[in-house]
Amino acid sequence: MSLPLDPHLVQLYLIAVCVLVLAPGPDSLLVLTRSIADGRQAGVVATLGISVGNVIHALLAAAGISALIAASPALFDVLRYAGGGYLAWIGARSLWSAWASRNQAADAPAAAPDSAPLRAVFTQALLTNLLNPKVILFQLAFVPQFIAPDLGHVGVQIFILGNIITALGALYLAGVAALSAGAARRVLSSPRVRAALDGVAGVLFLGFAVRLLLTDRKFA
């Protein structure tokens, strides 16, 4: 049984998705920070949480639920505020970690921080993805451009295309986890460097939070 997809449109979609996957965002930043702080396994678990979130978003889009959320100002605002608040909370925690370690001597060996529980890493990654209304807008505004209505099964097409970016994104994020975790021990040997990384991550997460809070429903 052949898939109800237009091969030419799929080729164009793959090119566009590869560009989008490489664009920095809260997902890639989360995998990067978790890999550096807690190791490669935590980075892979974060990637898994983000991927599960993407699958859920694709399923909601295929079922038409995402369109209902985007069409409702109240529901969209709840999701936008929840997502922005959650990213701001992650950013604030990173900034606090940087502030708390500011007085450590530059040449003092850094004590190995306690690794975050993998369940907590998974949950954080899943919520970061699910509470991001930009993913909903992506599924509604971008994916339909590569749908071939004449082939039928529009919901199936949306689900398949939505999960192509899930698969490619997972491969990219797994690579980020492996590369960043490999250099983590050398980087984290300096308390000042670790504090600086926490500070940069905190500022970036707060920036993503502000950008998310400014998102509107005009995706057409």
Side-chain angles (χ1 to χ4, degrees):
M1 180 179 177
S2 60
L3 297 176
L5 297 173
D6 185 310
H8 176 66
L9 291 177
V10 170
Q11 290 176 5
L12 296 176
Y13 180 73
L14 287 173
I15 295 172
V17 164
C18 286
V19 174
L20 291 173
V21 164
L22 295 176
D27 288 347
S28 55
L29 179 60
L30 181 64
V31 171
L32 177 66
T33 54
R34 289 272 61 87
S35 301
I36 291 177
D38 302 315
R40 181 181 292 109
Q41 186 177 16
V44 172
V45 170
T47 297
L48 179 61
I50 291 166
S51 299
V52 171
N54 281 329
V55 171
I56 294 174
H57 275 299
L59 182 60
L60 293 177
I65 298 175
S66 294
L68 294 177
I69 295 175
S72 169
L75 289 177
F76 189 83
D77 283 345
V78 167
L79 188 62
R80 178 163 59 95
Y81 291 137
Y86 190 67
L87 288 178
W89 178 73
I90 296 175
R93 286 188 60 187
S94 294
L95 288 177
W96 172 253
S97 178
W99 176 260
S101 60
R102 71 193 186 284
N103 291 325
Q104 291 189 33
D107 56 349
D114 294 333
S115 295
L118 294 180
R119 179 179 297 181
V121 172
F122 177 87
T123 302
Q124 184 185 53
L126 178 63
L127 290 177
T128 299
N129 186 273
L130 285 181
L131 294 176
N132 188 351
K134 283 180 174 284
V135 182
I136 291 178
L137 298 185
F138 167 83
Q139 294 283 355
L140 296 178
F142 181 76
V143 173
Q145 298 180 52
F146 302 90
I147 297 297
D150 55 304
L151 294 179
H153 306 288
V154 172
V156 175
Q157 292 187 60
I158 291 174
F159 184 74
I160 294 173
L161 292 177
N163 280 302
I164 287 177
I165 195 169
T166 299
L168 293 178
L171 289 175
Y172 170 70
L173 293 176
V176 170
L179 293 176
S180 55
R185 294 308 168 196
R186 295 191 299 273
V187 171
L188 295 182
S189 62
S190 167
R192 285 190 175 179
V193 170
R194 194 167 73 198
L197 289 174
D198 283 336
V200 171
V203 170
L204 290 175
F205 271 117
L206 289 176
F208 286 132
V210 171
R211 189 174 70 173
L212 188 57
L213 291 171
L214 295 177
T215 300
D216 59 32
R217 296 180 301 116
K218 295 178 182 179
F219 56 88

